[in-house]
Amino acid sequence: MIDLQNVEKTYFSKNGDVHALKKTNLHINAGEIFGIIGLSGAGKSTLIRCINMLETPTAGKVFVDGQELTAMRNSELRKARQNIGMIFQHFNLLASRTVYDNIAFPLEIQGIDKAVIKQKVEPLLELVGLTDRRDHYPSQLSGGQKQRVGIARALASNPKILLCDEATSALDPQTTKSILELLRDINKRLNLTIVMITHQMQVVKDICDRVAVIEHGSIIEEGSLLDLFTNPQTATTKEFISTINNVELPAILKNTKIFPDYQPNTTPIIRISFIGNSAGDPLISTLIKNYSVDVNIIYGNIDSIKDTPYGTMVVELSGTKDNMETAISYLQERNLKIEVLGYVARND
């Protein structure tokens, strides 16, 4: 659906050139919700604006639905953009127009007949839950309602793609949740491809199928949501994940001397990540009964990534060296991610 091939974007100025994007290659499948996460200034907004050519790439090619946008004349590009809707952090509504008229605005620009506009706008008002606000002005709306207007306006031209540039950053957590639920519903109902630009890992966790992490204008990591959560490869990705999932050593161990390898009279500290059905397995009781080890639970948490259960637990094993090694081998054979954080001296 969306292909970026060696896309670069450089902003030239007397004070020095800024390389906002560096040879970016990205493929986004039709019908998926794809997240692009990065810190401020990482290049994520530039990337999304290159997808609909609001920013013209300095180099590279942009394909959307099989068409090369970077090769189009302005008239062709204007038509192609009708298949790409976009919503923004600050809504960008017209203050002097009602909810209905804001949604109708892009259709009016296209010269569509008023009767046809009505046929398109009224179902959109119902879709985003604003039928009773159709004659209100933006100043009379909450932040969540304004973003719903923005979503309906972006859908007015029946686009195949919806680009969301920090669409929930200005909203409180509860409103963010309702907007994400709406976007998920729209994705399923309309088979709409959604690209989410965000710096909030919680947004990615709640809605995205796949994710790319961008830093200093380069994609540094990309994969399924589960892959990124369970096996992050870069320090930046680990930092994002740590905002909602404890990946650091628990505070109780921070001042404890930890050995990297087994030493006499030490016990292993193990982080266990549970994915899918394994999150419900009676793991601790199995270890105690079958492997003659004691298990001290230091930290535990269970959550879900979209519809997949996911959790982490940090435990300390104690027992004979052979029994502890056998227990660790058992864990490694399960559908679990096991990380031995180190070994601590026993307290006996």
Side-chain angles (χ1 to χ4, degrees):
M1 174 56 76
I2 301 172
D3 273 300
L4 305 185
Q5 298 180 3
N6 293 319
V7 170
E8 299 182 39
K9 179 62 182 181
T10 301
Y11 296 99
F12 301 98
S13 73
K14 295 179 181 179
N15 296 324
D17 300 340
V18 177
H19 302 288
L21 287 180
K22 305 168 187 174
K23 287 193 178 299
T24 299
N25 292 280
L26 201 61
H27 176 76
I28 299 172
N29 299 314
E32 74 177 340
I33 302 178
F34 192 93
I36 300 171
I37 189 168
L39 300 172
S40 297
K44 55 188 184 295
S45 290
T46 299
L47 190 157
I48 202 172
R49 290 169 67 87
C50 283
I51 291 176
N52 62 3
M53 296 292 290
L54 287 179
E55 293 285 356
T56 303
T58 309
K61 297 179 180 180
V62 176
F63 292 86
V64 174
D65 199 22
Q67 296 180 300
E68 185 187 347
L69 302 193
T70 39
M72 288 183 176
R73 298 188 297 269
N74 287 338
S75 58
E76 296 172 318
L77 190 55
R78 282 193 294 271
K79 185 175 182 180
R81 282 199 186 112
Q82 293 176 16
N83 286 322
I84 307 173
M86 190 167 185
I87 58 176
F88 306 88
Q89 177 180 356
H90 298 296
F91 321 125
N92 292 2
L93 302 182
L94 299 170
S96 61
R97 296 176 68 101
T98 65
V99 167
Y100 181 98
D101 291 334
N102 264 284
I103 298 170
F105 184 64
L107 301 175
E108 293 174 6
I109 292 176
Q110 295 173 38
I112 295 176
D113 183 79
K114 286 187 177 181
V116 177
I117 289 177
K118 183 177 180 181
Q119 292 174 358
K120 289 177 174 287
V121 173
E122 289 188 344
L124 288 172
L125 284 167
E126 184 177 354
L127 177 66
V128 300
L130 291 178
T131 301
D132 61 340
R133 297 288 191 273
R134 58 175 292 151
D135 297 321
H136 285 59
Y137 290 89
S139 61
Q140 300 172 299
L141 304 177
S142 67
Q145 290 169 338
K146 290 176 183 177
Q147 194 57 282
R148 288 172 181 267
V149 177
I151 292 170
R153 180 183 58 188
L155 297 177
S157 298
N158 297 319
K160 297 179 180 179
I161 296 166
L162 181 63
L163 306 179
C164 306
D165 191 1
E166 297 280 10
T168 60
S169 294
L171 306 176
D172 63 76
Q174 191 60 40
T175 304
T176 293
K177 183 178 179 181
S178 70
I179 293 297
L180 294 179
E181 288 174 352
L182 174 60
L183 291 173
R184 191 183 297 114
D185 181 54
I186 289 170
N187 167 256
K188 290 179 180 178
R189 284 198 200 188
L190 306 180
N191 194 32
L192 193 68
T193 304
I194 298 178
V195 182
M196 299 285 299
I197 292 290
T198 184
H199 65 273
Q200 299 170 307
M201 199 65 196
Q202 186 68 47
V203 170
V204 169
K205 171 182 169 291
D206 285 349
I207 195 173
C208 294
D209 300 308
R210 291 194 302 128
V211 187
V213 182
I214 188 170
E215 184 177 50
H216 303 310
S218 298
I219 301 294
I220 60 170
E221 194 163 353
E222 179 186 352
S224 72
L225 188 59
L226 271 176
D227 285 344
L228 256 69
F229 263 82
T230 58
N231 193 28
Q233 298 298 305
T234 66
T236 298
T237 305
K238 291 176 182 177
E239 183 66 25
F240 276 120
I241 291 172
S242 72
T243 62
I244 58 173
N245 184 35
N246 188 357
V247 295
E248 295 185 350
L249 205 60
I252 194 173
L253 298 174
K254 286 290 179 70
N255 297 320
T256 302
K257 183 175 181 179
I258 298 178
F259 300 92
D261 301 301
Y262 176 80
Q263 306 289 327
N265 297 316
T266 61
T267 58
I269 304 297
I270 303 170
R271 181 187 291 121
I272 308 169
S273 296
F274 304 82
I275 308 166
N277 294 333
S278 63
D281 290 348
L283 185 70
I284 301 302
S285 61
T286 300
L287 287 174
I288 295 172
K289 290 178 182 178
N290 296 349
Y291 296 93
S292 299
V293 293
D294 290 326
V295 183
N296 176 29
I297 300 175
I298 298 172
Y299 167 84
N301 179 61
I302 190 164
D303 203 341
S304 63
I305 300 175
K306 292 198 73 175
D307 299 323
T308 302
Y310 169 72
T312 57
M313 181 183 295
V314 176
V315 301
E316 177 185 9
L317 301 184
S318 60
T320 66
K321 182 175 184 292
D322 287 345
N323 286 348
M324 289 189 295
E325 288 178 349
T326 303
I328 292 173
S329 295
Y330 162 77
L331 292 174
Q332 291 170 337
E333 292 168 0
R334 309 286 295 172
N335 184 27
L336 304 167
K337 177 174 180 278
I338 305 300
E339 183 181 2
V340 178
L341 302 177
Y343 295 79
V344 298
R346 292 176 177 168
N347 294 321
D348 39 77

